[in-house]
Amino acid sequence: MTFAANGPGEHGRSVPTSPKDEAAVKEGFRLASFNQHASDLVSFERTIPDSRPPRCRDKSYDYSSLPKMSVIICFTEESWSTLLRSVHSVLNRTPPELLEEIILVDDFSQRGHLHAKLDNYLTRLPKVTLIRFPSRQGLIRARLRAIEIARGPVLTFLDSHVECNVGWAEPLLQRISHNRRVIVAPVIDAISSRDFSYIPISANQRGGFNWAMLFKWMPVPNYEKSRTGGDPTAPVRTPTIAGGLFAIHQRFFRSLGFYDPGLDIWGSENLELSFKAWMCGGSMEMIPCSRVGHVYRSTQPYSFPGGNVKVFMRNNLRVANVWMDGYVNLFYLMKPELRNEPFGDISSRVELRRRLKCHDFKWYLENVIPELNIPSLQLVASGEVRQSNL
């Protein structure tokens, strides 16, 4: 696909469709849960607006002092145009001396374009490696597989329907070069699922969660704004990350036990990483000078082995019972139907937490997210981490 300065979607503009496209648009939504027809009209290398705060553009970086990154993108049944636009945006907007490699992991896709056609296309791109799973394993195990072969000291995880913006990599790597125990995430701009317009998002939000173990965006509190001195380019401490887009030093990730291998397919891995990063001697930040656009979908176009909801809830149970101490009762208050549900053997994760001498969850609530409402302290037992019946 060639570059056209005024082509569809250029400069992040919306892609118009007409009534005659209705059938193609409908089919695209069925296949991808976004307007695949509109995406297919957009160049793999389209231009998008620079959404960084203006002062970010004045910053300079000494590339020789920054670590290299391995970019890891896992996918299943991804649309051709969104996948390749993601890859091209990494190649085009990452300084070559900072990019070790791009590792793609295909989680048993069945769509025809993701087989020989993709293999052939990738031969023309530098630094790209493709791994294929012979059966469905899910995001978490796909990432763990990529980590096994990653050569870069920094691991950067991206979704397969993103567009990296100009200067996105340097500020992430700079923060990690200063502190290997910080996990950094870009500010995530929106790409419309309906017309593929690029929509810059305010940096006045950070990651949180609720007692149903759901990630949610929350306003940056005043105490954090005071800490940054009102500098729109300053990193913002965040209690949690969304999980799809972040960078972490490989040694720090290893010290945290990577992901819980007992988590299935997708879900709650971001909260597990967030809790243990903060509780076990690290921190998390959102970096306003790093911007990546992401296509948000209201539904998922694929199913999970075992059922989407069941898998997600089992993952929540594992994370809550390892990391939340007596506050797990607040999760059960929100989800009483799960109280007697099994979640597998968590003994190795409990031992990891003990060995790392992590803070308790009360410390996390008081020091990392003090604004989170605690519904009823009387329901919070002093209890111990519970082991399920296998």
Side-chain angles (χ1 to χ4, degrees), residues 201-206 218-221 225:
I201 296 297
S202 168
N204 188 32
Q205 60 181 5
R206 64 180 193 167
M218 305 173 67
V220 176
K225 293 178 181 177

Side-chain angles (χ1 to χ4, degrees), residues 182-340:
V182 64
I183 300 172
V184 290
V187 172
I188 305 174
D189 291 330
I191 299 172
S192 169
S193 64
R194 305 203 67 84
D195 61 21
F196 273 75
S197 55
Y198 190 99
I199 307 166
I201 296 297
S202 168
N204 188 32
Q205 60 181 5
R206 64 180 193 167
F209 71 101
N210 61 24
W211 292 108
M213 293 287 285
L214 295 174
F215 171 86
K216 61 183 296 187
W217 293 109
M218 305 173 67
V220 176
N222 289 331
Y223 66 80
E224 180 62 14
K225 293 178 181 177
S226 297
R227 189 192 67 82
T228 63
D231 181 355
T233 72
V236 174
R237 292 177 179 172
T238 181
T240 68
I241 57 171
L245 293 72
F246 69 94
I248 183 171
H249 198 283
Q250 188 162 182
R251 290 182 184 175
F252 183 45
F253 208 180
R254 182 180 297 108
S255 75
L256 293 175
F258 295 118
Y259 289 118
D260 174 2
L263 297 175
D264 284 331
I265 308 297
W266 173 89
S268 211
E269 79 287 344
N270 59 320
L271 295 186
E272 188 222 13
L273 181 58
S274 300
F275 294 162
K276 68 184 179 184
W278 280 108
M279 292 166 64
C280 306
S283 60
M284 290 184 145
E285 296 175 346
M286 298 188 67
I287 310 300
C289 289
S290 176
R291 295 278 180 146
V292 178
H294 178 266
V295 182
Y296 286 99
R297 306 189 279 202
S298 58
T299 61
Q300 291 167 323
Y302 47 81
S303 60
F304 296 179
N308 298 27
V309 174
K310 185 175 181 180
V311 167
F312 183 71
M313 289 305 172
R314 181 183 180 278
N315 288 353
N316 282 345
L317 283 166
R318 288 185 66 86
V319 174
N321 279 277
V322 172
W323 296 101
M324 293 176 67
D325 303 324
Y327 291 88
V328 70
N329 287 307
L330 294 179
F331 172 62
Y332 285 127
L333 179 68
M334 301 297 295
K335 298 289 183 181
E337 70 278 11
L338 299 178
R339 184 169 287 277
N340 295 314

Side-chain angles (χ1 to χ4, degrees), residues 71-379:
V71 174
I72 296 171
I73 300 175
C74 304
F75 65 91
T76 187
E77 313 300 359
E78 187 59 67
S79 297
W80 178 256
S81 54
T82 44
L83 176 61
L84 292 179
R85 197 174 303 116
S86 301
V87 172
H88 278 279
S89 76
V90 174
L91 291 171
N92 292 343
R93 300 191 180 112
T94 308
E97 54 266 57
L98 300 180
L99 180 63
E100 180 68 43
E101 62 195 338
I102 300 173
I103 302 174
L104 302 180
V105 185
D106 175 13
D107 189 16
F108 197 51
S109 296
Q110 299 302 298
R111 298 179 73 180
H113 61 264
L114 296 174
H115 295 277
K117 182 180 179 181
L118 180 61
D119 291 338
N120 292 334
Y121 188 90
L122 294 180
T123 60
R124 71 183 77 171
L125 300 182
K127 299 186 177 184
V128 180
T129 299
L130 175 63
I131 301 171
R132 295 193 188 277
F133 277 165
S135 62
R136 185 88 156 91
Q137 298 294 311
L139 172 70
I140 297 163
R141 294 189 183 104
R143 285 182 171 178
L144 290 172
R145 177 67 183 92
I147 290 168
E148 291 176 358
I149 67 167
R151 301 190 305 269
V154 172
L155 305 174
T156 300
F157 298 93
L158 298 175
D159 281 346
S160 54
H161 33 268
V162 300
E163 292 177 61
C164 298
N165 213 316
V166 61
W168 76 286
E170 295 94 315
L172 299 179
L173 295 173
Q174 183 186 60
R175 290 300 292 168
I176 292 176
S177 74
H178 292 165
N179 178 7
R180 289 184 177 181
R181 300 180 70 84
V182 64
I183 300 172
V184 290
V187 172
I188 305 174
D189 291 330
I191 299 172
S192 169
S193 64
R194 305 203 67 84
D195 61 21
F196 273 75
S197 55
Y198 190 99
I199 307 166
I201 296 297
S202 168
N204 188 32
Q205 60 181 5
R206 64 180 193 167
F209 71 101
N210 61 24
W211 292 108
M213 293 287 285
L214 295 174
F215 171 86
K216 61 183 296 187
W217 293 109
M218 305 173 67
V220 176
N222 289 331
Y223 66 80
E224 180 62 14
K225 293 178 181 177
S226 297
R227 189 192 67 82
T228 63
D231 181 355
T233 72
V236 174
R237 292 177 179 172
T238 181
T240 68
I241 57 171
L245 293 72
F246 69 94
I248 183 171
H249 198 283
Q250 188 162 182
R251 290 182 184 175
F252 183 45
F253 208 180
R254 182 180 297 108
S255 75
L256 293 175
F258 295 118
Y259 289 118
D260 174 2
L263 297 175
D264 284 331
I265 308 297
W266 173 89
S268 211
E269 79 287 344
N270 59 320
L271 295 186
E272 188 222 13
L273 181 58
S274 300
F275 294 162
K276 68 184 179 184
W278 280 108
M279 292 166 64
C280 306
S283 60
M284 290 184 145
E285 296 175 346
M286 298 188 67
I287 310 300
C289 289
S290 176
R291 295 278 180 146
V292 178
H294 178 266
V295 182
Y296 286 99
R297 306 189 279 202
S298 58
T299 61
Q300 291 167 323
Y302 47 81
S303 60
F304 296 179
N308 298 27
V309 174
K310 185 175 181 180
V311 167
F312 183 71
M313 289 305 172
R314 181 183 180 278
N315 288 353
N316 282 345
L317 283 166
R318 288 185 66 86
V319 174
N321 279 277
V322 172
W323 296 101
M324 293 176 67
D325 303 324
Y327 291 88
V328 70
N329 287 307
L330 294 179
F331 172 62
Y332 285 127
L333 179 68
M334 301 297 295
K335 298 289 183 181
E337 70 278 11
L338 299 178
R339 184 169 287 277
N340 295 314
E341 288 293 316
F343 46 81
D345 183 1
I346 57 173
S347 58
S348 64
R349 308 311 283 182
V350 174
E351 171 59 21
L352 172 71
R353 180 177 167 180
R354 185 201 64 77
R355 178 168 53 80
L356 293 176
K357 297 182 173 62
C358 303
H359 291 287
D360 59 24
F361 201 68
K362 184 174 185 288
W363 177 92
Y364 173 83
L365 294 175
E366 292 176 347
N367 291 275
V368 181
I369 187 169
E371 67 272 23
L372 182 67
N373 178 54
I374 301 176
S376 177
L377 281 172
Q378 291 86 345
L379 291 167

